[in-house]
Amino acid sequence: MEASADAGAAAAAAAARTLRWAGRAGHLGGFPRAAVFAAVGAFAKVYASLLNTTTVHNADALLRLVSARAPGTPLLTVSNHMSTVDDPLMWGFKGFPTSDAKLGRWVLTAEDICFRNVVMSYMFRLGKCVPITRGGGIYQEHMNEALDVLINGGWVWLHSFPEGKIAQDDQPIRRLKWGTASLIVRAPITPIVLPIVHSGFEKVMPEELFFGRRPPVPLCSKKIDIIVGEPIEFDMARLKQAASMVPHDSSCERKGWPTITPDGLDESAQRWLYQKMSDKIQSVMERLRQKLLNLKQH
């Protein structure tokens, strides 16, 4: 009984700390959100376009989808993760509407970093951030919230770092977590999935600079390179049909995932489907990374 009460109290405390209500578009008439986007957008512009040198390849693909895609079609961008300032600085390049709160992205963020207290939670909520609990699984409450954003957000853009954590070494794209694939599958309207790869942010905000710690502010006079790919196509009907034929594997550890309706995909089918889609996204991102390396050498 006490354990149940403690768990309930912890859940209530977590809900209070993450302040979901502050992320609603109509909160206080939208003025706090607009102010945060204006301030953070200016910060990103200064660091990406003035204090550092940023080169963006195929920027038009991103600009077009952010501002002029078909109504009601959600956009899901995915990128590698090289520093704690990838977002918002990666949107600070010249010509991008960084300060537009209506067009601005929602982004999945680490709860233990961005939502440590009420003040931080409020600011990040105003910045259209969705907290993700590390180790909480793909059916955690916050992932359901991210799905709600894709479903109910209207003109919505969500950004994800599917590698799941920062990696500052220049290595191939790591194995992706399944959360991003699960959002694509569960969304009633399949989002446009746009891959982005960047380098240079690891020099702007190195993880271990001063006595094993990050610098207090981003560094200057660094070169940032970003490449935007083309949308990744998924034939969801064919993929779900193939997944439904995957034999049930009783030896696999069960996570207690719900069956996906109306497709009726059980946990074994979901595992196959999420891995298949994650592998495709990873391979596309790795090809982009190789292309960016070649562009930087010329």
Side-chain angles (χ1 to χ4, degrees):
M1 193 72 173
E2 290 182 2
S4 177
D6 290 344
R17 188 178 66 251
T18 56
L19 306 180
R20 184 172 180 177
W21 51 267
R24 295 172 185 154
H27 170 59
L28 295 180
F31 293 111
R33 175 185 285 185
V36 166
F37 266 84
V40 174
F43 171 83
K45 288 288 186 187
V46 167
Y47 269 98
S49 300
L50 297 177
L51 300 181
N52 292 286
T53 302
T54 300
T55 302
V56 184
H57 305 277
N58 198 30
D60 286 346
L62 177 63
L63 288 164
R64 182 175 64 253
L65 289 174
V66 166
S67 59
R69 66 186 181 278
T73 304
L75 172 63
L76 177 61
T77 51
V78 294
S79 76
N80 57 323
H81 201 8
M82 302 205 75
S83 80
T84 55
V85 297
D86 293 354
D87 182 287
L89 297 194
M90 64 189 296
W91 318 120
F93 62 88
K94 293 178 182 178
F96 193 81
T98 314
S99 297
D100 191 322
K102 183 178 180 181
L103 291 179
R105 89 291 168 267
W106 288 83
V107 61
L108 306 183
T109 55
E111 182 181 24
D112 58 320
I113 294 176
C114 301
F115 289 76
R116 288 182 289 183
N117 56 57
V118 172
V119 174
M120 292 181 67
S121 296
Y122 185 66
M123 297 305 295
F124 278 100
R125 280 296 190 182
L126 293 177
K128 297 171 73 171
C129 298
V130 178
I132 297 298
T133 304
R134 298 179 193 269
I138 63 175
Y139 284 101
Q140 62 176 276
E141 179 185 352
H142 295 315
M143 286 299 291
N144 291 334
E145 179 185 343
L147 182 62
D148 287 343
V149 168
L150 285 177
I151 294 173
N152 302 316
W155 186 272
V156 67
W157 164 28
L158 177 66
H159 184 71
S160 170
F161 297 102
E163 291 176 296
K165 61 181 180 180
I166 291 170
Q168 297 204 321
D169 50 344
D170 188 15
Q171 297 294 325
I173 301 297
R174 294 169 300 171
R175 180 181 181 274
L176 306 187
K177 305 293 185 181
W178 289 350
T180 300
S182 76
L183 291 175
I184 300 169
V185 172
R186 296 163 64 196
I189 299 177
T190 302
I192 298 170
V193 182
L194 187 70
I196 302 171
V197 171
H198 53 76
S199 69
F201 290 118
E202 74 282 6
K203 296 180 176 66
V204 175
M205 183 59 76
E207 285 289 290
E208 299 181 356
L209 182 65
F210 299 115
F211 305 102
R213 300 177 66 87
R214 304 182 193 103
V217 296
L219 304 181
C220 305
S221 301
K222 308 300 180 184
K223 189 174 188 309
I224 300 166
D225 291 280
I226 302 172
I227 184 168
V228 181
E230 296 300 327
I232 303 173
E233 298 290 337
F234 290 105
D235 186 341
M236 293 309 306
R238 184 183 63 80
L239 284 168
K240 288 178 179 179
Q241 176 65 27
S244 68
M245 301 176 68
V246 172
H248 180 76
D249 184 0
S250 59
S251 66
C252 207
E253 180 187 359
R254 301 291 97 186
K255 301 287 187 181
W257 292 352
T259 297
I260 293 181
T261 56
D263 306 292
L265 299 180
D266 64 14
E267 193 165 328
S268 295
Q270 291 176 58
R271 286 173 176 272
W272 181 90
L273 182 57
Y274 297 156
Q275 187 63 63
K276 189 83 171 176
M277 295 175 66
S278 296
D279 287 346
K280 181 172 182 177
I281 296 171
Q282 180 185 6
S283 65
V284 170
M285 290 177 66
E286 176 57 24
R287 288 197 296 272
L288 265 186
R289 191 186 75 87
Q290 294 291 341
K291 185 175 181 179
L292 183 60
L293 286 175
N294 291 334
L295 289 169
K296 288 165 62 176
Q297 292 171 1
H298 294 86

